[in-house]
């Protein structure tokens, strides 16, 4: 008799716990929202979309704003589906985090205004203004002898991206011709220093190792920098040192768009 009673009690407890679990699952599922933004489906939590009161998304979720549904019953928003990932990440993180090289600031600012997220809109505009200011500032790259800074080449340009492109080209050539970077070769934000340069009949060589292994001649590097600049739409403003005659004999190159 006692066993039967215990069995019934266990069955009741089991049913009760199962019903509680099913209710929790139900609540969890109803907290998940699927959005169709320009043909891209995004699944997120209700609390994420309602994080900012009076925003467009909060209005939809709380029934303040009427929103059409697609064939599957998902909220449909006729906006840029790819850019919406940045909107959603902002709602999740509370800050603007964009991938390196992001160039769609103007479009993202428009999306932020549509979704009525003023904090995000201000953050995007601030980022955009900083990039515009940086692009107008002249930057430079100095390729120099670590023992004698008068030896080498200086490249000036009003586009930081172009300077980074030349620097990466030098690093790429060095990696392809040498087994890794030797200690004699150091790179900083604006300066590449070699162990030393050597002068010969063939021109100045950029030496990386004491066994005279070199990347290329300095004259070759100057020609390549000029060709890269012309292909990118820059013009050679001045060699900054015309006393030596030919461009290949100058110590500095200045490019501008």
């Amino acid at each position: 008799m006692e066993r039967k009673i215990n069995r019934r009690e266990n069955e009741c407890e089991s049913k009760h716990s199962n019903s509680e679990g099913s209710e929790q699952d139900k609540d969890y599922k109803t907290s998940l929202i699927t959005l169709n933004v320009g043909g891209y489906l995004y699944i997120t939590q209700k609390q994420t979309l309602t994080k900012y009161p009076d925003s467009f998304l909060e209005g939809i979720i709380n029934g303040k704003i009427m929103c059409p549904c697609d064939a599957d019953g998902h909220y449909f928003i006729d906006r840029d589906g790819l850019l919406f990932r940045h909107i959603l990440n902002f709602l999740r993180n509370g800050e603007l985090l964009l991938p390196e090289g992001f160039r769609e600031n103007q479009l993202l600012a428009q999306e932020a205004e549509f979704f009525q997220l003023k904090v995000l809109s201000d953050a995007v505009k601030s980022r955009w203004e900083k990039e515009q200011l940086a692009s107008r500032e002249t930057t430079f790259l100095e390729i120099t002898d670590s023992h004698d800074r008068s030896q080498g080449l200086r490249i000036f340009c009003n586009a930081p991206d172009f300077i980074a492109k030349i620097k990466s080209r030098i690093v790429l050539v060095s990696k392809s011709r040498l087994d890794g970077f030797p200690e004699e070769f150091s790179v900083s934000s604006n300066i590449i220093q070699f162990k030393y340069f050597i002068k010969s009949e063939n021109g100045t060589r950029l030496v990386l190792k004491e066994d005279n292994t070199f990347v290329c001649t300095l004259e070759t590097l100057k020609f390549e920098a000029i060709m890269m600049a012309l292909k990118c739409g820059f013009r050679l403003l001045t060699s900054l040192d015309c006393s030596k005659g030919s461009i290949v004999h100058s110590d500095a190159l200045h490019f501008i768009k």
Side-chain angles (χ1 to χ4, degrees):
M1 188 73 172
E2 237 176 76
R3 287 181 183 175
K4 287 183 180 179
I5 292 171
N6 289 337
R7 191 182 299 167
R8 285 177 184 174
E9 287 177 353
N10 290 334
E11 286 175 358
C12 289
E13 286 177 3
S14 178
K15 286 179 182 179
H16 183 66
S17 62
N18 287 337
S19 63
E20 279 186 350
S22 62
E23 285 176 8
Q24 288 176 356
D25 290 341
K26 190 176 180 181
D27 290 340
Y28 178 73
K29 288 177 181 177
T30 54
S31 71
L32 294 179
I33 305 292
T34 301
L35 298 176
N36 182 340
V37 184
Y40 290 81
L41 295 181
Y42 291 90
I43 302 175
T44 187
Q45 290 184 307
K46 181 179 179 180
Q47 64 188 39
T48 302
L49 298 175
T50 57
K51 187 173 183 178
Y52 289 88
D54 300 325
S55 68
F56 181 81
L57 293 169
E58 186 271 336
I60 288 176
I61 300 305
N62 290 330
K64 301 175 187 176
I65 299 174
M66 295 298 293
C67 181
C69 294
D70 63 13
D72 296 317
H74 307 313
Y75 291 113
F76 177 76
I77 304 173
D78 191 15
R79 300 300 295 184
D80 192 317
L82 284 174
L83 281 178
F84 187 74
R85 65 179 280 235
H86 305 304
I87 302 288
L88 195 55
N89 281 334
F90 174 78
L91 294 175
R92 289 166 174 161
N93 302 315
E95 61 179 321
L96 179 63
L97 299 171
L98 295 173
E100 187 177 347
F102 183 80
R103 290 288 179 270
E104 296 183 302
N105 293 301
Q106 190 173 1
L107 287 174
L108 184 56
Q110 288 179 348
E111 294 301 297
E113 288 180 5
F114 173 83
F115 287 104
Q116 299 169 20
L117 294 166
K118 189 178 184 305
V119 180
L120 175 58
S121 179
D122 291 343
V124 176
K125 288 176 182 177
S126 176
R127 181 182 188 273
W128 189 12
E129 288 171 0
K130 287 178 181 177
E131 286 185 355
Q132 292 293 314
L133 183 63
S135 66
R136 290 193 293 269
E137 293 178 352
T138 300
T139 187
F140 73 96
L141 174 64
E142 182 177 325
I143 304 156
T144 182
D145 188 326
S146 59
H147 299 288
D148 181 6
R149 292 190 66 179
S150 65
Q151 293 288 330
L153 171 67
R154 291 161 188 82
I155 300 174
F156 296 86
C157 185
N158 66 336
D161 288 349
F162 178 68
I163 294 295
K165 189 173 183 179
I166 292 180
K167 185 167 68 173
S168 64
R169 174 63 180 155
I170 297 170
V171 172
L172 180 66
V173 171
S174 303
K175 277 187 174 181
S176 65
R177 298 189 182 181
L178 298 165
D179 185 15
F181 283 157
E183 293 180 1
E184 293 87 350
F185 178 56
S186 59
V187 182
S188 69
S189 58
N190 291 100
I191 297 176
I192 294 180
Q193 286 191 335
F194 290 88
K195 175 70 174 178
Y196 55 87
F197 291 1
I198 58 172
K199 292 274 188 178
S200 67
E201 292 180 1
N202 296 326
T204 304
R205 298 183 176 189
L206 283 61
V207 180
L208 300 183
K209 288 185 176 179
E210 293 183 1
D211 61 1
N212 289 346
T213 302
F214 63 94
V215 177
C216 63
T217 64
L218 199 56
E219 286 72 20
T220 300
L221 179 60
K222 291 175 187 177
F223 273 123
E224 183 160 1
I226 292 170
M227 294 305 297
M228 287 172 65
L230 294 176
K231 286 180 181 178
C232 292
F234 292 92
R235 61 189 176 90
L236 181 62
L237 184 65
T238 174
S239 64
L240 300 184
D241 184 5
C242 300
S243 61
K244 297 186 178 180
S246 173
I247 289 176
V248 296
H249 295 126
S250 63
D251 294 329
L253 301 172
H254 192 174
F255 301 106
I256 195 170
K257 244 181 187 179

